[in-house]
Amino acid sequence: QLHVEESGGDSVQAGGSLRLSCAASGYTTLPYCMAWFRQAPGKEREGVATIDSDGATTYADAVKGRFTISKDNAKDTQYLQMNNLKPGDSAIYYCAADFACPIDIDDASENSINYWGQGTQVTVSS
């Protein structure tokens, strides 16, 4: 099993930056993939970015060029660097992980991924 926990959510003004972190624990010696999803009020959860065990990444079109996903294997921690934030980026951001790779960024259903964090709030004001 894996346990993941996010941190780093905050309130920022449009154009600002934030870095989210997600620490994994459990059977981290096995190869696993990680991802970020987000859910805004009244909207469905959507994929933001994924990173495979070999470091390959995918991004949602809405964040390409502004967000960067990365992973420190020594710390079993993934990061989401978010630059040039927009009010539309406001949401609860969820960390996800699974041993079944790759994670499909287009499938945000809770049943599609085995391990989810509790979420961290990101609020971007105009």
Side-chain angles (χ1 to χ4, degrees), residues 35-88:
W36 290 97
F37 290 79
R38 67 185 183 185
Q39 187 167 19
K43 294 187 177 181
E44 294 186 350
R45 188 175 298 189
E46 63 179 3
V48 176
T50 71
I51 186 164
D52 281 357
S53 55
D54 62 0
T57 59
T58 62
Y59 293 93
D61 287 343
V63 306
K64 280 180 182 176
R66 300 188 298 121
F67 291 11
T68 302
I69 189 171
S70 61
K71 187 170 179 280
D72 185 333
N73 291 322
K75 296 181 179 180
D76 291 314
T77 300
Q78 73 160 344
Y79 305 96
L80 185 67
Q81 178 66 42
M82 304 185 293
N83 297 328
N84 190 21
L85 282 160
K86 304 175 181 180

Side-chain angles (χ1 to χ4, degrees), residues 6-25:
E6 314 92 336
S7 61
D10 205 344
S11 296
V12 297
Q13 290 193 328
S17 298
L18 276 178
R19 189 178 80 157
L20 304 182
S21 300
C22 175
S25 59

